[in-house]
């Protein structure tokens, strides 16, 4: 059987990052304050270190260029831009503009996210995304930022994974350490839906007034593939319910203005179209035991114990496409593989299925460009194509980075690159889980 394949003409390969996960520095943000709480971050690391990208961004852009990467998803850190309510830091905005300009000069296309899990602490104190009236502050920040970047960037993501942020904060009570509350989880999702729709309209209007006709906006929708753990009816209901609450209901409301219980139309949006492309972040499959989300045993897993199930990406993309047939961008896909033992296979397996499918996939952004601060897990989990030694901040290309660069050059995978990079890779089964290893230490 041939292992080689070619991407469709025009298909784009890029990499993704998020500001708070790579920039480092003393920034008055929710994640800075959360990192200060003893025990909040699994390995005791702090968001203030990360990759020092704020200072080292030119080195990182040079690496992108060396690898031939022409598509880069990044985010702005609102906490840097508006450190005090109503007070904007023009130098921070200029610095973001310079970074983006440098990429444009090298022909690197930027896909820009306005909220990727981090925001100013003053906003957190106001209740962040629990209150609809707080959306105005977000819109003000977006508009201010557009003055600095709108001429350089045409593709935008309003908000990254509203479902993940809401669930980790209020359903599991893990991020920011609030009391668990299903009510607040849903409320936050509702505010995010309204925020997305209003930001979508704002970005379009802003660029239209300045004569740009190529604006494309979406939100990065985290899709998990839910499957019933057994054929028992309650496991099947569990899969349907989780899939609706976490994904389909949120997608219908945010993308089309179609609301059904328990989603609420806080912005009084009309039915319509509020995305210009489908933007999906996909990592793993979850098995439902009643309404619990578990991981099956004896399946391939990454170092955090997440199942590797490439078919799930296609199935979830198909569902979204059935709801709204638009071009599909995989805005994140990747794996925690601390030794870089199986990442090339993970990438290959997902891209191969995407290429073979009937769906209009137009781009793939690998998560992540660099090993980075993995939220509450800290520096323990390495998702990068590029290794980072956090002590020295030295960047080293991993084997997967070379594979990625080769795929970009070949616009696909050749037999020889398959043999060199993918063939030697093996997935783990149950024996590896870095969180467990860490607890044993
Ligand atoms: C998030 C990233 C995160 C990645 C791996 C995604 O849900 O958008 O910020 O690092 O998953 O956990």
């Amino acid at each position: 059987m041939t292992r080689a394949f070619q991407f469709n003409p025009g298909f784009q390969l890029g990499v993704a990052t998020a500001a708070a996960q790579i920039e480092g520095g003393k920034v008055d943000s929710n994640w800075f304050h959360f990192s200060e709480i003893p025990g909040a971050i699994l390995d005791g690391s702090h968001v203030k270190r990360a990759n020092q990208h704020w200072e080292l961004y030119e080195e990182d852009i040079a690496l992108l260029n060396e690898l031939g990467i022409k598509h880069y998803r990044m985010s702005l850190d609102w906490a840097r831009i508006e450190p005090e309510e109503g007070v904007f830091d023009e130098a921070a905005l200029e610095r973001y503009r310079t970074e983006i300009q440098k990429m444009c000069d090298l022909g690197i296309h930027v896909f820009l996210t306005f909220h990727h899990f981090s925001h100013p602490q003053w906003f957190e104190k106001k209740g962040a995304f629990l209150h609809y009236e707080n959306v105005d502050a977000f819109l003000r920040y977006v508009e201010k930022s557009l003055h600095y970047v709108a001429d350089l960037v045409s593709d935008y993501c309003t908000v990254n994974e509203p479902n993940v942020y809401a669930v980790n904060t209020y359903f599991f009570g893990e991020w920011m350490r609030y009391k668990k509350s299903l009510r607040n989880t849903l409320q936050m999702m509702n505010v995010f839906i309204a925020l997305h729709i209003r930001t979508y309209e704002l970005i379009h209007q802003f660029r239209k007034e300045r004569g740009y006709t190529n604006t494309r906006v979406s939100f990065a929708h985290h899709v998990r593939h839910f499957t019933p753990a057994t054929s028992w009816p309650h496991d099947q209901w569990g899969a349907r319910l989780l899939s609706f609450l976490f994904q389909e209901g949120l997608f219908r409301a945010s993308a089309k203005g179609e609301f059904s219980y328990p989603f609420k139309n806080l912005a009084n949006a009309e039915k319509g179209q509020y995305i210009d492309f489908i933007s999906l972040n996909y990592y793993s499959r979850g098995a439902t035991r009643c309404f619990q989300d578990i991981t099956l045993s004896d399946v391939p897993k990454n170092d955090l114990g997440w199942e590797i199930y490439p078919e799930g990406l296609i199935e979830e993309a198909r569902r979204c496409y059935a709801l709204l047939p638009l071009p599909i961008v995989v805005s994140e896909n990747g794996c925690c593989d601390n030794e870089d033992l199986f990442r090339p296979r993970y990438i290959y397996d997902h891209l191969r299925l995407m290429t073979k499918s009937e769906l209009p996939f137009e781009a793939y952004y690998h998560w992540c460009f660099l090993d980075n601060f993995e939220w509450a897990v800290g520096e323990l989990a390495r998702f990068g194509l590029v290794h980072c030694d956090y002590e020295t901040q030295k960047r080293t290309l991993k084997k997967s980075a070379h594979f990625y660069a080769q795929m970009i050059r070949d616009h696909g995978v050749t037999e020889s690159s398959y043999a060199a990079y993918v063939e030697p890779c093996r997935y783990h089964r149950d024996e590896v889980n870095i969180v467990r290893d860490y607890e044993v230490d």
Side-chain angles (χ1 to χ4, degrees):
M1 183 174 92
T2 172
R3 302 297 192 164
F5 67 90
Q6 279 286 295
F7 301 133
N8 297 323
F11 181 75
Q12 301 156 355
L13 274 191
V15 292
T17 61
Q21 287 180 277
I22 63 169
E23 287 176 356
K26 192 166 181 335
V27 179
D28 200 10
S29 70
N30 54 339
W31 280 95
F32 191 96
H33 284 263
F34 185 57
S35 299
E36 304 265 285
I37 302 172
I41 309 296
L42 187 63
D43 61 352
S45 60
H46 196 294
V47 71
K48 70 183 173 198
R49 179 155 80 168
N51 304 95
Q52 302 294 303
H53 173 83
W54 190 250
E55 286 76 31
L56 300 178
Y57 71 103
E58 285 173 287
E59 187 183 323
D60 291 335
I61 294 175
L63 271 181
L64 287 174
N65 196 37
E66 183 185 330
L67 292 168
I69 292 168
K70 293 287 180 214
H71 298 272
Y72 184 65
R73 176 171 172 232
M74 61 176 274
S75 71
L76 303 179
D77 196 342
W78 178 11
R80 281 188 187 276
I81 292 174
E82 193 179 356
E84 278 175 55
E85 186 169 6
V87 180
F88 289 92
D89 183 341
E90 311 281 336
L93 283 159
E94 281 296 351
R95 153 66 185 73
Y96 277 124
R97 181 173 173 86
T98 307
E99 176 175 4
I100 295 172
Q101 180 71 64
K102 281 187 191 288
M103 284 191 264
C104 293
D105 294 346
L106 292 167
I108 299 172
H109 175 95
V110 171
F111 173 18
L112 191 67
T113 301
F114 284 108
H115 186 269
H116 195 131
F117 301 163
S118 63
H119 47 256
Q121 182 64 11
W122 60 258
F123 185 73
E124 183 68 22
K125 284 195 190 142
K126 284 167 81 111
F129 303 104
L130 266 193
H131 309 301
Y132 177 60
E133 57 274 21
N134 288 352
V135 169
D136 287 343
F138 183 78
L139 294 172
R140 194 181 53 204
Y141 140 71
V142 170
E143 183 167 3
K144 180 79 182 175
S145 306
L146 284 170
H147 282 284
Y148 286 78
V149 299
D151 58 325
L152 301 177
V153 179
S154 56
D155 290 10
Y156 295 89
C157 167
T158 55
V159 50
N160 184 67
E161 301 186 343
N163 49 3
V164 170
Y165 191 80
V167 163
N168 283 344
T169 307
Y170 281 112
F171 187 75
F172 295 121
E174 280 172 8
W175 289 2
M176 312 308 140
R177 294 266 173 96
Y178 292 116
K179 206 166 148 237
K180 294 181 189 182
S181 155
L182 178 60
R183 201 159 163 265
N184 284 349
T185 310
L186 292 169
Q187 168 66 6
M188 195 182 247
M189 284 197 192
N190 284 327
V191 172
F192 271 129
I193 293 166
L195 171 143
H196 161 70
I197 292 176
R198 292 186 58 195
T199 310
Y200 173 89
E201 288 176 333
L202 170 68
I203 299 170
H204 270 288
Q205 190 196 342
F206 187 98
R207 289 192 92 241
K208 194 171 162 208
E209 281 166 12
R210 285 154 184 82
Y212 298 106
T213 52
N214 58 349
T215 310
R216 293 175 6 128
V217 184
S218 196
F219 71 102
H221 185 40
H222 182 100
V223 283
R224 182 162 170 81
H225 184 64
F226 291 106
T227 192
T230 69
S231 55
W232 280 77
H234 35 273
D235 290 352
Q236 298 189 17
W237 294 331
R240 279 205 292 273
L241 183 76
L242 291 192
S243 181
F244 176 77
L245 288 178
F246 194 64
Q247 285 154 206
E248 189 190 322
L250 179 85
F251 183 80
R252 276 181 188 270
S254 310
K256 300 175 78 176
E258 279 178 14
F259 289 82
S260 51
Y261 184 80
F263 294 100
K264 288 189 191 148
N265 190 353
L266 301 176
N268 284 324
E270 289 179 5
K271 280 192 187 162
Q273 187 184 312
Y274 300 106
I275 56 173
D276 303 307
F277 57 98
I278 297 170
S279 171
L280 299 180
N281 293 0
Y282 175 80
Y283 288 85
S284 183
R285 166 165 87 159
T288 49
R289 194 155 281 149
C290 208
F291 301 118
Q292 236 195 315
D293 179 1
I294 61 161
T295 302
L296 298 170
S297 51
D298 200 28
V299 290
K301 287 178 184 163
N302 77 12
D303 288 358
L304 286 169
W306 304 356
E307 181 179 355
I308 297 170
Y309 185 70
E311 295 81 357
L313 168 60
I314 310 304
E315 291 180 38
E316 294 307 320
R318 199 171 277 138
R319 285 183 171 190
C320 292
Y321 187 74
L323 293 172
L324 194 52
L326 291 173
I328 305 168
V329 168
V330 175
S331 34
E332 281 181 35
N333 172 247
C335 56
C336 173
D337 173 13
N338 280 4
E339 306 299 324
D340 203 37
L341 297 174
F342 52 85
R343 186 173 285 102
R345 176 167 293 277
Y346 182 99
I347 296 172
Y348 173 88
D349 286 347
H350 286 80
L351 282 171
R352 186 162 204 259
L353 289 184
M354 286 167 62
T355 308
K356 275 177 32 188
S357 96
E358 78 292 0
L359 296 165
F361 286 108
E362 66 171 40
Y364 172 95
Y365 289 84
H366 187 71
W367 183 271
C368 185
F369 172 44
L370 288 168
D371 291 339
N372 58 61
F373 178 79
E374 175 52 28
W375 307 119
V377 181
E379 294 168 359
L380 270 186
R382 294 182 178 272
F383 278 80
L385 294 174
V386 177
H387 180 273
C388 177
D389 177 329
Y390 293 105
E391 292 294 328
T392 61
Q393 288 297 330
K394 186 173 168 6
R395 277 81 160 132
T396 311
L397 299 182
K398 299 182 191 177
K399 203 172 163 193
S400 341
H402 293 291
F403 173 53
Y404 213 70
Q406 191 61 47
M407 280 196 304
I408 292 173
R409 285 194 290 274
D410 297 332
H411 200 62
V413 180
T414 60
E415 286 295 342
S416 70
S417 72
Y418 180 87
Y421 296 107
V422 184
E423 178 81 61
C425 295
R426 295 286 173 272
Y427 291 136
H428 308 300
R429 296 242 157 204
D430 278 338
E431 72 276 20
V432 177
N433 180 333
I434 63 162
V435 176
R436 208 162 48 218
D437 288 352
Y438 182 77
E439 281 164 0
V440 169
D441 290 352

